[in-house]
Amino acid sequence: MTAQRSLAAGVSLLANPNDEYRIGEALGIGVWTVHLAVLVVLGGMLFSAISKVRPGWMYLLWAWIGISIGVSLAVFGEPYLPSMHFGST
């Protein structure tokens, strides 16, 4: 989740504002405040899990690469996925 939200923050910076951006703007606390809060909480959870499980660096590297590829495929592959329509139109 940390990798996915980091990618979303980057996308907000470059092109499309996302939910955290809009929430911060609507609350008047700054557009990056919610992004940072979410990333700090998720990063804390990640490092807490890492300290308990103690995986090796190779495991962490491949996990990060796998997550990055999966998120990229989902984001950039969306136009090629079949669309689902419910109800009568």
Side-chain angles (χ1 to χ4, degrees):
M1 201 60 200
T2 306
Q4 191 262 346
R5 294 319 308 158
S6 298
L7 179 64
V11 169
S12 285
L13 176 66
L14 298 175
N16 255 353
N18 66 5
D19 294 336
E20 287 97 343
Y21 187 100
R22 290 187 189 109
I23 290 169
E25 189 175 42
L27 293 174
I29 59 174
V31 294
W32 295 106
T33 306
V34 179
H35 277 292
L36 291 174
V38 167
L39 290 175
V40 165
V41 169
L42 289 172
M45 292 169 61
L46 175 68
F47 286 111
S48 174
I50 288 172
S51 67
K52 289 178 185 171
V53 176
R54 297 241 183 246
W57 69 270
M58 187 61 82
Y59 176 85
L60 295 174
L61 174 67
W62 284 108
W64 187 273
I65 290 170
I67 290 167
S68 298
I69 290 171
V71 169
S72 297
L73 287 174
V75 169
F76 295 116
E78 185 178 8
Y80 306 106
L81 296 173
S83 62
M84 298 176 71
H85 301 281
F86 298 98
S88 59
T89 54

